[in-house]
Amino acid sequence: MTDSTYNGYTNYHTWNVALWMANDEMIYRHARANKNLGYSKWAQRFIDEFGEYITGDGISWLSDDVDQDAMDLVMEDL
């Protein structure tokens, strides 16, 4: 049986945004301060406030490939 996830996440896009959220202090603090919004509303606020549409690896914060439900869970754990 093979694992169809990417480092425990649904796919690379979801893993990448979770990685940046957990490992970049400014992003982490912003996400933690706004975790009550849920992922998609937080991501839009982050984009509006900082003008950063993509992670440092070029993945869009609001990409359709990002598993929103998984990211909501990530934010709950911040």
Side-chain angles (χ1 to χ4, degrees), residues 27-60:
I27 297 169
Y28 172 82
R29 286 177 187 243
H30 190 272
R32 188 167 183 214
N34 293 281
K35 70 183 194 174
N36 62 313
L37 297 175
Y39 177 74
S40 61
K41 288 181 181 177
W42 166 79
Q44 188 60 60
R45 177 176 281 181
F46 181 77
I47 291 167
D48 291 345
E49 290 182 13
F50 296 97
E52 294 185 21
Y53 294 87
I54 58 175
T55 69
D57 296 313
I59 302 301
S60 171

Side-chain angles (χ1 to χ4, degrees), residues 2-3 5 7 10 12 15 20-21 29 38-39 41 44 46-47 52 60-61 68-69 73-74 78:
T2 60
D3 183 2
T5 63
N7 292 326
T10 309
Y12 173 79
W15 169 80
W20 278 92
M21 186 181 288
R29 286 177 187 243
Y39 177 74
K41 288 181 181 177
Q44 188 60 60
F46 181 77
I47 291 167
E52 294 185 21
S60 171
W61 291 106
Q68 303 290 317
D69 294 331
L73 293 174
V74 168
L78 294 177

